[in-house]
Amino acid sequence: IVSSNTSGYSGPAGELPFPHAGDGGGIWSAAHLRVTGTTFTSNAGANGSAIGGSGGAIFTSGTAIVSSSSFTGNSGGTNGLGGNGGAIANRGTLTLSTSTLAGNTAGAGGGSSNGGDGGGLYSSAGSATLTGDTLTANSSGAGGNAIPVDPGCTAPGVGGNGGAIYSTATLHVSDTTISANSTGPGGFYFNPCAGEAPGGVGAGLATAGGITTISFSTIADNTDGIDNLAGTVTLAGTIVADSNLANCAG
């Protein structure tokens, strides 16, 4: 069990003692990582003044193989831009199989900043392959409320994208269930202005680049299903249904 850890640096941007120092609340790896039959719970990326840490449970930029494990209640760091990847942030080669990601949250934005992307998994480089996994009740980060100024108004932050998964890289998903995930709301304006910034999109999956293939999987009962902001998404033998909003967009 890896529980209730926070990555060990929370100072200002530009003063990190080593690369990605605020990332990986449970594990930070740039080499080879193998995880089997492990529970990650209540871990968090570091809070920072400019950017919250990514990968509440695991941050990997190397090769990571994770199987038969559970990730529950992990979160990205807050303050400034919300940290990405409530459970896992990947910039390398990730293989995730027969694992559960449930109730994880990307970091909330602070001070008019945007919420983090990828409540369960954030993959921004390399590749991620998911087989036989369950991702449920995860959420991207909420946008931060506007900062009061006098006179005038500042804009609040928008909600993060990808409640369960956010990917800008190569993503392969098979025999996987993605259900009951949501995206973070936008922040609110401060008086004398009124209103709310847009919330995030792609509660099941948001893609913003790369090539995504999804086969023999179920994406259902999410706030919205798949939002393809950029890149290519190919579905085969997959159910996308019962979203509160659109099942597929983009």
Side-chain angles (χ1 to χ4, degrees), residues 57-93:
I58 295 176
F59 175 93
T60 174
S61 58
T63 298
I65 300 172
V66 181
S67 63
S68 303
S69 295
S70 65
F71 298 78
T72 305
N74 303 285
S75 59
T78 61
N79 297 339
L81 293 170
N84 302 311
I88 301 172
N90 171 59
R91 290 186 53 82
T93 301

Side-chain angles (χ1 to χ4, degrees), residues 130 133-138 163-165 173 176-181 203-205 214 217-222 225-226 239 241:
L130 281 64
D133 299 300
T134 298
L135 293 88
T136 186
N138 303 287
I165 301 172
V173 179
T176 290
T177 298
I178 300 173
S179 65
N181 300 284
L205 166 66
I214 305 174
S217 295
T218 298
I219 302 173
D221 298 311
N222 302 287
I226 299 172
I239 297 171

Side-chain angles (χ1 to χ4, degrees), residues 29-228:
S29 175
H32 295 278
L33 173 67
R34 183 181 294 271
V35 177
T36 303
T38 301
T39 297
F40 295 82
T41 182
S42 302
N43 301 286
N47 297 334
S49 60
I51 302 174
S54 295
I58 295 176
F59 175 93
T60 174
S61 58
T63 298
I65 300 172
V66 181
S67 63
S68 303
S69 295
S70 65
F71 298 78
T72 305
N74 303 285
S75 59
T78 61
N79 297 339
L81 293 170
N84 302 311
I88 301 172
N90 171 59
R91 290 186 53 82
T93 301
L94 170 68
T95 301
L96 180 69
S97 62
T98 58
S99 294
T100 298
L101 282 63
N104 304 286
T105 308
S112 297
S113 295
N114 296 342
D117 299 321
L121 169 64
Y122 175 87
S123 185
S124 59
S127 66
T129 301
L130 281 64
T131 306
D133 299 300
T134 298
L135 293 88
T136 186
N138 303 287
S139 179
S140 58
N145 293 329
I147 299 173
V149 294
D150 186 20
C153 302
T154 60
V158 301
N161 298 322
I165 301 172
Y166 180 91
S167 176
T168 62
T170 299
L171 175 67
H172 301 293
V173 179
S174 63
D175 301 304
T176 290
T177 298
I178 300 173
S179 65
N181 300 284
S182 60
T183 52
F188 288 93
Y189 283 88
F190 194 83
N191 287 335
C193 299
E196 182 181 3
V201 298
L205 166 66
T207 58
I211 297 173
T212 296
T213 60
I214 305 174
S215 58
F216 306 106
S217 295
T218 298
I219 302 173
D221 298 311
N222 302 287
T223 304
D224 60 326
I226 299 172
D227 202 305
N228 181 28

